[in-house]
Amino acid sequence: MHMMTTRVAARRGEREPLWTLFRVVFGLSALSWGGLALMAQLEHHYVEREERLSRLAFSDLIALAWMVPGPVGCNVAVQLGYTLRGRSGAWIAGIASVLPFFLVMTLFAIFYRTPLVHAAASETLINHFSVVLATLIGVTWYKQTRALVRGRLEWIAALLSCIALTYAHSPAAYVLMLGGAFAAGWLRSPAHPVQLEVSLDAGDGQLLVGLAALIVLFAIPLPQRYESTLLWPRLAGAGMTLFGGGFSALPVLKTLFVTPAIGVSNNDYTLAFSLSPLSPGPLLNVVPFIGYLINGWAGALIATIALFVPSGCLVVLAQRHLHQLKAHPRFEQGMRVLRAVTTAFLAVAVLRIVQRVPLQPAYCVTALFSLVCFARLKVPVYIVYGTVAIVCGVWLFYAHVV
């Protein structure tokens, strides 16, 4: 027993080679559909198989990833790289976690622009895919509400946010709502003698100021002629408001991309989110797809950097001060209310999709089929999409022949 304990301790003290770190994270990300799947695979490899981290240490990485904005799975990968190899490891692990879905979604966008795919992607098929997407988001909303919304304050915040988001269409409303939720949780938390004291060096302070400036740039209304010029910095600011999973991004990112100045159509935007579960990675993998539609390969690359790099920098900064953040009850209470508010983004995303799909029996059948598959049978997303696509294609072909 003593020899085993010594071996584990020595194993945890080893430096992970950067190439090994990249290879492992890239491989696991390429086989992970969704951020939760990536986290589970990282835990299995580095905690259970390699014994590089304790289970408690890895759970701290997951907890912090939920506390900061951005894709949770990628945030965990960045922290893991930082823990194993410092800042260089954080960059390597972050790139490795993003690269698989960046390539897949960019390829989707390339073929989407071909005449053959445009002809196949009829309005009927897009509507059926939208129904599947709405059902998937609805099931996700139900699960997140059960897990995150418990206390009276959290229920009130979630309900008020649903009402506010139904009528709000500006980035400023999203930023104010999230900030107000955190402030409400902070103020309603009982007074505690523990003080939140975080010592920041000059570089940390400059990073926080820069991230705050990006949020402000996203929030303020701009003349139409500046929307295209400042699109990518505003996308980085939008990423700083995304909590609670990728589907919460649907109404937020829509305010940036589906505008006359940018030129992404509502159909293209909805289809991007419909395709996102078919690709590995978190549901924010839609960003390279949309970036490619706007400006080709350069747009896909810049959009991915703009959304994922700021949250990665923030999670590394927070990880260095994790022990101080965890010790402050008011901070944790503020984050609990904020996470409860993010469930409203999912509810409103379902509402927006349902509003644009015609109320017809065929779409109701698709909704019922998707609900049974996702909620009861736990069928993989790609099988549901594939089944719907085949049935829809056969029906359209038969209708055309007849």
Side-chain angles (χ1 to χ4, degrees), residues 130-145:
S130 298
V131 171
V132 176
L133 176 63
T135 308
L136 181 59
I137 299 175
V139 172
T140 304
W141 168 83
Y142 175 75
K143 293 178 179 178
Q144 287 202 9
T145 300

Side-chain angles (χ1 to χ4, degrees), residues 376-397:
R376 301 289 298 179
L377 304 179
K378 313 299 181 185
V379 177
V381 173
Y382 60 89
I383 292 181
V384 178
Y385 274 115
T387 304
V388 170
I390 292 173
V391 173
C392 184
V394 170
W395 184 82
L396 289 175
F397 177 78

Side-chain angles (χ1 to χ4, degrees), residues 22 25 61 88 133 141 157 399:
F22 176 87
V25 176
L61 302 186
S88 58
L133 176 63
W141 168 83

Side-chain angles (χ1 to χ4, degrees), residues 25 42 46 53 58 61 76-85:
V25 176
L42 289 173
Y46 283 104
L53 281 82
F58 194 85
L61 302 186
V76 170
V78 169
Q79 291 183 85
L80 178 67
Y82 182 81
T83 302
L84 296 177
R85 283 300 304 266

Side-chain angles (χ1 to χ4, degrees), residues 325-350:
L325 297 175
K326 288 175 62 179
H328 199 275
R330 285 195 163 184
F331 182 87
E332 174 57 24
Q333 176 68 10
M335 292 303 302
R336 280 167 49 188
V337 177
L338 187 148
R339 287 192 289 264
V341 165
T342 61
T343 61
F345 286 93
L346 303 181
V348 172
V350 174

Side-chain angles (χ1 to χ4, degrees), residues 19-348:
W19 167 246
T20 301
L21 178 64
F22 176 87
R23 177 175 53 81
V24 170
V25 176
F26 179 89
L28 296 180
S29 178
L31 298 174
S32 300
W33 273 259
L36 296 178
L38 176 58
M39 287 188 289
Q41 295 216 63
L42 289 173
E43 181 175 12
H44 174 74
H45 182 84
Y46 283 104
V47 176
E48 299 176 8
R49 181 179 174 184
E50 296 294 324
E51 299 180 333
R52 300 302 301 270
L53 281 82
S54 68
R55 195 171 298 278
L56 178 60
F58 194 85
S59 66
D60 285 342
L61 302 186
I62 294 177
L64 184 59
W66 281 107
M67 292 169 62
V68 300
V72 180
C74 294
N75 284 346
V76 170
V78 169
Q79 291 183 85
L80 178 67
Y82 182 81
T83 302
L84 296 177
R85 283 300 304 266
R87 296 194 179 188
S88 58
W91 280 102
I92 291 296
I95 293 172
S97 67
V98 169
L99 191 57
F101 68 78
F102 168 80
L103 296 174
V104 172
M105 290 301 288
T106 304
L107 287 174
F108 280 169
I110 292 173
F111 287 104
Y112 175 69
R113 281 189 158 182
T114 61
L116 176 63
V117 175
H118 265 296
S122 66
E123 184 177 356
T124 301
L125 179 61
I126 291 176
N127 284 338
H128 279 284
F129 275 7
S130 298
V131 171
V132 176
L133 176 63
T135 308
L136 181 59
I137 299 175
V139 172
T140 304
W141 168 83
Y142 175 75
K143 293 178 179 178
Q144 287 202 9
T145 300
R146 293 190 62 184
L148 301 178
V149 185
R150 295 181 178 179
R152 180 181 178 185
L153 177 60
E154 294 163 28
W155 274 109
I156 293 175
L159 292 174
L160 291 178
S161 299
C162 286
I163 298 173
L165 284 175
T166 302
Y167 298 99
H169 302 282
S170 69
Y174 306 145
V175 175
L176 290 175
M177 187 180 67
L178 293 172
F182 180 84
W186 179 286
L187 296 175
R188 287 297 301 270
S189 178
H192 199 275
V194 178
Q195 299 295 320
L196 182 60
E197 297 179 359
V198 179
S199 57
L200 302 174
D201 56 32
D204 294 340
Q206 293 172 1
L207 173 63
L208 292 177
V209 170
L211 295 178
L214 292 174
I215 295 175
V216 172
L217 184 62
F218 166 66
I220 60 176
L222 294 177
Q224 184 172 327
R225 64 180 180 274
Y226 293 119
E227 288 183 8
S228 179
T229 304
L230 299 175
L231 173 62
W232 307 126
R234 297 188 75 208
L235 175 61
M240 291 292 95
T241 69
L242 301 180
F243 293 83
F247 284 137
S248 63
L250 197 149
V252 177
L253 298 183
K254 188 174 183 178
T255 62
L256 287 179
F257 294 126
V258 186
T259 65
I262 305 304
V264 176
S265 69
N266 194 62
N267 277 352
D268 291 343
Y269 184 79
T270 303
L271 182 63
F273 271 89
S274 300
L275 291 173
S276 65
L278 303 180
S279 168
L283 293 173
L284 286 172
N285 57 21
V286 298
V287 171
F289 182 97
I290 299 174
Y292 187 89
L293 295 183
I294 295 172
N295 195 28
W297 276 99
L301 179 61
I302 295 173
T304 304
I305 292 173
L307 188 71
F308 288 89
V309 169
S311 63
C313 294
L314 181 61
V315 78
V316 169
L317 173 62
Q319 209 252 351
R320 288 160 49 194
H321 303 284
L322 177 61
H323 63 285
Q324 295 167 305
L325 297 175
K326 288 175 62 179
H328 199 275
R330 285 195 163 184
F331 182 87
E332 174 57 24
Q333 176 68 10
M335 292 303 302
R336 280 167 49 188
V337 177
L338 187 148
R339 287 192 289 264
V341 165
T342 61
T343 61
F345 286 93
L346 303 181
V348 172

